[in-house]
Amino acid sequence: MKHLRPSTDHRGLNERAISAAMQLLEDSDPCPPTVDQIAVMLDEPVGRLRTLFPDDRSVLIASLEQAMILLIDTCTRAVVKVDPDDPVAQFGSLGDAYLDWAHRHPDQFRLMMDCRLVDALTVPILRRYTDSLSELMVRMLTRARDAGRLHPREDIPMLVLSSRCYANGVARMMVDGRLQEWVPDGDPLTVAKSLTRDFIRRMARSAQPEAV
């Protein structure tokens, strides 16, 4: 097992523990890392680490919370750069931001997708981030419907669910290296964004009101 000694890493113990947990999870998937393993890896007393993380699951929750904070920040920054009068374009920018985040943080993305380790929907501190993202998507699609870009009776919650399922599937194929099987010469992130943009265009087009 690798050791990450404090003398070579000047981050706080919390940050170093989260990084170690992600490395251990990658090396031993699907077995979750333990606080004892992290302490050995960091060459820190177990008791000191347990003052921050009283049980093994709390390390994973902290890792996910850190990643979700970055996700929300990434999505917010991307959306505000787009014309607020074009909610469909904002929705596309949101999809790009999500893929950018998954590409930069593949281990955290995989952890978020694996409910066997941590089910974010059952952890209040994590649920608020997933709810925040869903609420943002609902607001965008509601504005698109109100602007005549979607059918006036369109089922917005169902569109949000469909979009999230599609984006998660594309992101998983990207981080697992599966997109190269279909587009061998394509950059995975570029291909993933193209697929998601195409999905959004088709979704918006199929949800247009029928001509009278």
Side-chain angles (χ1 to χ4, degrees):
M1 179 183 293
K2 296 180 181 178
H3 289 258
L4 303 178
R5 295 183 181 275
S7 60
T8 62
D9 192 336
H10 300 291
R11 295 173 298 170
L13 182 57
N14 187 78
E15 291 287 325
R16 292 191 293 118
I18 288 174
S19 294
M22 289 298 95
Q23 186 172 334
L24 286 167
L25 186 61
E26 181 181 7
D27 294 342
S28 61
D29 182 64
C31 298
T34 66
V35 173
D36 288 357
Q37 289 174 319
I38 294 169
V40 171
M41 188 173 185
L42 297 179
D43 196 22
E44 292 279 358
V46 174
R48 184 182 178 209
L49 203 59
R50 287 196 180 277
T51 62
L52 296 174
F53 308 108
D55 55 65
D56 299 337
R57 188 167 178 261
S58 62
V59 185
L60 298 181
I61 291 175
S63 301
L64 264 186
E65 183 183 15
Q66 182 188 71
M68 287 183 170
I69 290 172
L70 292 174
L71 172 60
I72 295 298
D73 182 67
T74 299
C75 291
T76 301
R77 289 176 181 272
V79 168
V80 298
K81 294 179 181 178
V82 181
D83 183 357
D85 293 327
D86 191 345
V88 174
Q90 283 191 322
F91 202 71
S93 180
L94 181 65
D96 286 350
Y98 185 73
L99 293 170
D100 283 332
W101 172 82
H103 187 258
R104 286 195 299 266
H105 307 282
D107 295 331
Q108 288 84 346
F109 169 78
R110 292 189 183 97
L111 177 60
M112 187 171 70
M113 293 294 103
D114 192 346
C115 294
R116 297 171 302 171
L117 299 178
V118 178
D119 185 353
L121 296 181
T122 65
V123 181
I125 198 171
L126 300 179
R127 177 66 183 259
R128 66 181 182 180
Y129 296 111
T130 60
D131 287 350
S132 177
L133 194 57
S134 292
E135 289 164 5
L136 178 60
M137 297 171 73
V138 168
R139 289 198 300 271
M140 286 180 182
L141 293 180
T142 299
R143 286 172 44 232
R145 183 188 61 192
D146 294 344
R149 302 288 299 275
L150 301 175
H151 195 280
R153 294 190 300 275
E154 188 59 62
D155 188 339
I156 298 300
M158 184 59 70
L159 274 185
V160 168
L161 179 58
S162 298
S163 300
R164 294 192 70 159
C165 289
Y166 186 87
N168 284 335
V170 171
R172 187 64 193 244
M173 291 183 70
M174 175 185 67
V175 301
D176 287 350
R178 299 296 302 275
L179 286 178
Q180 287 90 329
E181 298 176 9
W182 301 93
V183 189
D185 299 326
D187 171 70
L189 180 58
T190 301
V191 172
K193 287 183 178 182
S194 297
L195 289 169
T196 304
R197 289 275 181 170
D198 181 68
F199 172 83
I200 292 171
R201 284 193 298 268
R202 293 174 185 272
M203 178 188 74
R205 187 164 60 240
S206 65
Q208 283 284 334
E210 295 181 4
V212 180

